[in-house]
Amino acid sequence: MRTPGRRRGLPEHRQFLPSALQTAVLWGLALAFLLPLAWFVLSSFKPASELFRFPLTPLPERWSVEGYATAWERYDFARYFLNTTVVAVVTTALTVIVSAATGFAFAKYKNRWLKVFFICILATTMLPTEVIMPSTFAVIRDLGLYNKLAGVIVPSIITATGIFMFRQYFRTVPDELLEAARIDGAGEMRIFWSMMLPLARPIVFTLAIFSFHWRWNDYIWPLIVLNDQKLYTLQVALRSIVGAENIDWSVLLSASVISIVPMVLVFIVFQKYILNADINSGLKG
């Protein structure tokens, strides 16, 4: 006979052990990822004479910011930073808007040609980027966008991943909400901006983080499109620091740290909106 009030399941000490083991494994994985990153950041504050001295030390004996100053002034990193910011911010904003509008149309409008178009867009994910680069470059050149930041931005606006994310989310929104809004006199643009887009806020922030990360780290396409050194983005500029024979590792490490700071800040700012957002908000009856 079971004693009233006795806790069912495993004893408390047997439940604690698996949980403690899982926590230890997760902390171990976190340290495995964080230690190289910490070493990388700390090394950027070392003078060049300490970088390859044996035995290696994690902390600099003499903290130095000469690499940061040299990267920012000698290599005109302020200009490259501004170019990359323009490309990443503008592309991210347009990608979110275009992907949301396209996903809304695919999810809520009934037309067989829309389904065919959606399948064609998904099919592009199976093509390597290198395959479509020649044709994309030809279009950009014929449009007069070669050696312009617009030539980097325009081909990156449409992303099958973003369209698919919004389309799948909007399919979960009941059609009755849209019909009620139309009965109240709301037009399609108002429904999209005032109702659908706010409901998809978690997807908006998720795609914004992904898109900003993609565009900030993009190297191959800006290298192909941009010929003027004044228009270089950060990733292309970082490659210019690497000489044919000699590499100033102190400057290269410092410049690399500068290049990742915006991505870290974007993730810190937007992650709280994703984690705190109720993905079913507005859908509960």
Side-chain angles (χ1 to χ4, degrees):
M1 182 175 181
R2 189 178 298 275
T3 304
R6 183 177 178 180
R7 185 177 179 180
R8 298 182 179 180
L10 295 174
E12 184 175 352
H13 71 278
R14 296 187 63 183
Q15 292 180 346
F16 171 77
L17 290 177
S19 177
L21 181 60
Q22 292 175 3
T23 302
V25 171
L26 290 176
W27 273 108
L29 291 174
L31 289 175
F33 282 98
L34 290 176
L35 284 177
L37 179 61
W39 191 288
F40 162 66
V41 175
L42 291 172
S43 296
S44 68
F45 291 99
K46 293 180 179 180
S49 59
E50 290 186 27
L51 286 174
F52 300 101
R53 188 174 61 186
F54 188 82
L56 297 175
T57 56
L59 294 176
E61 292 185 5
R62 182 173 67 86
W63 292 78
S64 173
V65 293
E66 294 179 3
Y68 289 92
T70 303
W72 194 261
E73 296 173 2
R74 184 196 301 174
Y75 293 97
D76 199 11
F77 248 59
R79 180 189 298 273
Y80 303 142
F81 201 90
L82 178 61
N83 292 340
T84 311
T85 301
V86 171
V87 170
V89 172
V90 173
T91 305
T92 297
L94 293 177
T95 296
V96 170
I97 294 174
V98 171
S99 298
T102 308
F104 172 61
F106 285 147
K108 294 304 178 184
Y109 295 156
K110 309 300 180 182
N111 189 299
R112 63 177 182 176
W113 293 111
L114 284 178
K115 295 181 180 179
V116 174
F117 189 30
F118 177 66
I119 293 174
C120 292
I121 291 179
L122 285 185
T124 61
T125 60
M126 296 183 289
L127 295 175
T129 305
E130 293 78 6
V131 173
I132 62 176
M133 271 187 178
S135 56
T136 305
F137 177 79
V139 173
I140 291 299
R141 181 196 58 198
D142 294 342
L143 290 176
L145 299 180
Y146 176 71
N147 200 28
K148 295 181 181 178
L149 292 180
V152 180
I153 295 172
V154 172
S156 306
I157 294 175
I158 301 296
T159 167
T161 302
I163 293 173
F164 179 77
M165 290 168 59
F166 276 105
R167 188 246 188 189
Q168 296 304 108
Y169 182 83
F170 286 143
R171 283 170 62 89
T172 66
V173 179
D175 293 339
E176 289 77 7
L177 285 177
L178 278 71
E179 295 300 329
R182 291 176 180 131
I183 292 174
D184 290 339
E188 298 302 308
M189 290 297 296
R190 184 178 177 184
I191 291 175
F192 172 72
W193 285 105
S194 301
M195 185 173 69
M196 301 298 286
L197 202 57
L199 285 176
R201 187 169 59 177
I203 310 300
V204 169
F205 290 129
T206 301
L207 182 59
I209 291 176
F210 286 161
S211 179
F212 190 90
H213 175 79
W214 294 332
R215 302 289 75 81
W216 191 271
N217 282 332
D218 198 3
Y219 171 72
I220 296 297
W221 185 243
L223 180 65
I224 294 174
V225 174
L226 301 176
N227 189 35
D228 187 354
Q229 190 171 356
K230 294 181 179 179
L231 297 176
Y232 279 178
T233 57
L234 274 176
Q235 305 307 322
V236 180
L238 283 175
R239 179 62 183 84
S240 66
I241 296 178
V242 181
E245 298 179 357
N246 298 322
I247 301 176
D248 193 338
W249 288 103
S250 179
V251 175
L252 182 59
L253 288 172
S254 302
S256 300
V257 171
I258 294 174
S259 70
I260 68 174
V261 168
M263 291 188 295
V264 175
L265 293 178
V266 166
F267 179 76
I268 292 175
V269 170
F270 284 103
Q271 70 164 343
K272 63 180 181 181
Y273 295 103
I274 299 173
L275 297 177
N276 295 336
D278 182 3
I279 201 167
N280 293 316
S281 60
L283 306 182
K284 298 177 182 178

